[in-house]
Amino acid sequence: MKKVKVSLRPIVSNINLPTAMKTTILPGDSIERLFIATQVGEIYYIGNGDIRTFLDIRPQVIKLGASGGGYDERGLLGLAFHPEFYYNGLFYLHYSVAGTQGPGALPESFKPNPCDPRTLNLKWRNREIQYDHIDTVEEWILQSNGQPQKRRTLLNVRRPFFNHNGFNSLNFSPETGKLVLTTGDGGSGYDPFNLSQDDMEIAGKIIEIDVGKYSFINNPPVVTRFHELPVSIQEALTVIAKGVRNIPGISFQRFNNQYIKYAGNVGQDLVESIFSFVHYKPILVTQLIQASLLYSKPDQEGFINFGWRGWEGCFPTSTVRGCTDNSSLDEKTIAYYNESVALSGSRLQPLTSYFHQDPRPDKFGGTALTGIQPYMGNQIPGLTGGVVFTDFARKDSQPHNRGALAYTRVRPDGKQSDFSVIQTDYDFGSQSAFYASLGTNLGQSTLYLGVYGSMNVTDFNQGTVFEIVP
């Protein structure tokens, strides 16, 4: 693939952990502005060359970094503006709710033992008390006086662990006009309860929400499964995909009067994967519930399945451990063999993958996929029509942590694509630079990169947002 080099132009510095970046036009305005959501609960926008506060919900967001040594995957994770925001002022938030901290679903970290069936078939029991936190999806409105106000709550979802909640988790589909919520598998590692493949579980799915059809409910119940929702909410939901481990949102690229959808699956031990699809058959949640009550399976022809937890990208999910005779080698054992076999013919193949260890000189060893955005601009010709993605921190970047920027393309023959590293000329000096989020403007002609200076959420004001320029 063609080698591409870009520059990173700082737009805003010293902000707390940028998680989602969106552009929109404010009512009565004429300029498309960049909005930046931070993990701790602030939303800023760029106006007339300076940064202004749009909304601050820090008191409503769970206290971050209290456990795990300062690392946290909760917080304000999603921001989306209604396609008619200019006229109706509606926008949507996804965040982890303050005061909902629980003990977690398991007393200790989990790793499957292929030789012990008990570790392969765990059940999430006592969900009302054995959980980590509650995530909420809310609808807000920008009032005529310019002040945002919460309008209603759409979902309250109980999460078993602190990680894998999804990020950049709210996006409107230009194809259906619906709000798309992307959820991770619930966390820990290896999806202990296999939530991502269970049709009734909200975890591990890509879900469309018809906000126009959504009935007003002042305080929806806290749930983990679709059938626990009120019928009026069930009727507004469809499921696009399952088998998701953790996902940096979904993005759309218009091509020949169709939309290519891109979504990624953050890997476990081996590989990070980017998926693409055009045609899909969503399933109504009411149909999933009806099939469950009849102990049957709904017709899933055309339904998207990313394959987790049986598959990690192109590979059957493996447990990895060091070889005692040679510390430079690893032993890999298929963890969920039967699940890998069962899903082998129905899962979606990745568009491209990159590995956690890669000896090739023109590649890199990745850590976690953090963003996928098509680029349809012409200022960087080498990227036009391509799909740009970011990795949190490449493994070969010691002693200073550095993220990775790369791109790929959809092949006309539908086969898996290669990828190429995008070279950047920005000098971070002795600072770490974790590439944590990727955004684009409405026309997909400008790309924005969110960078953390620290992976600890307790180290405030270490975030920078860049514009990717020629």
Side-chain angles (χ1 to χ4, degrees), residues 376-394:
M376 300 303 289
N378 53 25
Q379 295 297 308
I380 312 173
L383 296 181
T384 302
V387 187
V388 177
F389 60 93
T390 48
D391 187 85
F392 191 61
R394 54 193 299 169

Side-chain angles (χ1 to χ4, degrees), residues 118-180:
R118 292 174 299 176
T119 69
L120 307 180
N121 298 287
L122 299 182
K123 301 296 182 185
W124 184 11
R125 306 188 189 281
N126 302 318
R127 298 185 180 204
E128 291 76 13
I129 57 174
Q130 295 297 124
Y131 68 96
D132 182 83
H133 68 281
I134 293 168
D135 276 358
T136 190
V137 178
E138 297 175 346
E139 180 181 78
W140 286 62
I141 187 167
L142 183 64
Q143 301 175 101
S144 57
N145 63 2
Q147 295 300 311
Q149 181 180 31
K150 177 183 167 183
R151 190 163 178 255
R152 55 182 174 170
T153 299
L154 303 185
L155 286 174
N156 287 316
V157 182
R158 190 179 288 112
R159 305 291 289 173
F161 305 102
F162 86 98
N163 58 338
H164 299 184
N165 302 298
F167 45 103
N168 187 28
S169 52
L170 294 177
N171 292 277
F172 269 93
S173 167
E175 192 171 32
T176 66
K178 296 179 181 180
L179 179 65
V180 183

Side-chain angles (χ1 to χ4, degrees), residues 47 107 192 202 260:
I202 296 173
I260 306 173

Side-chain angles (χ1 to χ4, degrees), residues 2-22:
K2 183 177 178 181
K3 294 189 181 303
V4 177
K5 186 172 183 178
V6 300
S7 298
L8 303 180
R9 183 175 68 86
I11 301 177
V12 180
S13 299
N14 300 317
I15 61 171
N16 295 329
L17 309 167
T19 50
M21 295 173 288
K22 302 290 172 65

Side-chain angles (χ1 to χ4, degrees), residues 8 367 370 390-395 397-405 424 426-437 449-455 462-464 466:
L8 303 180
T367 300
T370 54
T390 48
D391 187 85
F392 191 61
R394 54 193 299 169
K395 291 219 166 49
S397 61
Q398 301 301 325
H400 304 301
N401 289 297
R402 295 285 185 270
L405 191 64
T424 63
Y426 191 83
D427 182 9
F428 288 99
S430 60
Q431 280 289 108
S432 291
F434 298 96
Y435 288 10
S437 51
L449 174 66
V451 176
Y452 293 179
S454 169
M455 64 189 301
Q462 292 205 26
T464 302
F466 296 87

Side-chain angles (χ1 to χ4, degrees), residues 171-412:
N171 292 277
F172 269 93
S173 167
E175 192 171 32
T176 66
K178 296 179 181 180
L179 179 65
V180 183
L181 168 66
T182 49
T183 69
D185 64 7
S188 186
Y190 293 94
D191 194 0
F193 312 117
N194 201 17
L195 304 181
S196 58
Q197 287 296 331
D198 189 326
D199 287 345
M200 280 297 95
E201 298 286 350
I202 296 173
K205 308 296 187 295
I206 301 178
I207 301 163
E208 280 190 331
I209 304 174
D210 188 341
V211 295
K213 192 176 181 180
Y214 224 90
S215 299
F216 273 87
I217 294 180
N218 290 330
N219 192 22
V222 179
V223 302
T224 60
R225 295 168 65 82
F226 287 118
H227 68 77
E228 298 166 348
L229 291 165
V231 173
S232 60
I233 295 181
Q234 294 173 10
E235 292 174 343
L237 306 180
T238 54
V239 180
I240 295 177
K242 65 179 180 179
V244 171
R245 183 175 182 271
N246 201 20
I247 181 169
I250 185 170
S251 56
F252 301 81
Q253 182 182 36
R254 188 176 179 88
F255 182 75
N256 287 344
N257 295 319
Q258 294 180 320
Y259 284 95
I260 306 173
K261 275 71 70 177
Y262 297 99
N265 228 358
V266 177
Q268 178 70 53
D269 288 321
L270 301 177
V271 68
E272 306 295 304
S273 302
I274 296 169
F275 295 84
S276 69
F277 56 96
V278 174
H279 304 291
Y280 67 100
K281 180 182 155 186
I283 301 179
L284 295 170
V285 162
T286 50
Q287 292 179 346
L288 290 173
I289 294 170
Q290 184 178 26
S292 176
L293 292 172
L294 297 174
Y295 298 100
S296 64
K297 283 279 187 184
D299 177 17
Q300 298 199 6
E301 183 69 31
F303 185 63
I304 303 298
N305 192 334
F306 290 171
W308 178 253
R309 71 181 182 180
W311 290 81
E312 185 183 351
C314 296
F315 301 93
T317 300
S318 304
T319 56
V320 180
R321 61 185 179 183
C323 296
T324 55
D325 294 336
N326 188 337
S327 60
S328 66
L329 297 177
D330 288 330
E331 179 185 56
K332 300 175 179 66
T333 305
I334 296 177
Y336 301 104
Y337 179 82
N338 291 341
E339 292 176 30
S340 301
V341 172
L343 292 168
S344 61
S346 59
R347 66 188 178 88
L348 182 67
Q349 290 280 357
L351 166 65
T352 194
S353 298
Y354 65 95
F355 299 88
H356 290 190
Q357 296 178 1
D358 195 331
R360 293 175 292 177
D362 59 338
K363 307 300 182 186
F364 65 95
T367 300
L369 179 70
T370 54
I372 307 169
Q373 294 290 346
Y375 176 71
M376 300 303 289
N378 53 25
Q379 295 297 308
I380 312 173
L383 296 181
T384 302
V387 187
V388 177
F389 60 93
T390 48
D391 187 85
F392 191 61
R394 54 193 299 169
K395 291 219 166 49
D396 56 2
S397 61
Q398 301 301 325
H400 304 301
N401 289 297
R402 295 285 185 270
L405 191 64
Y407 80 101
T408 187
R409 295 180 182 278
V410 172
R411 287 174 47 146

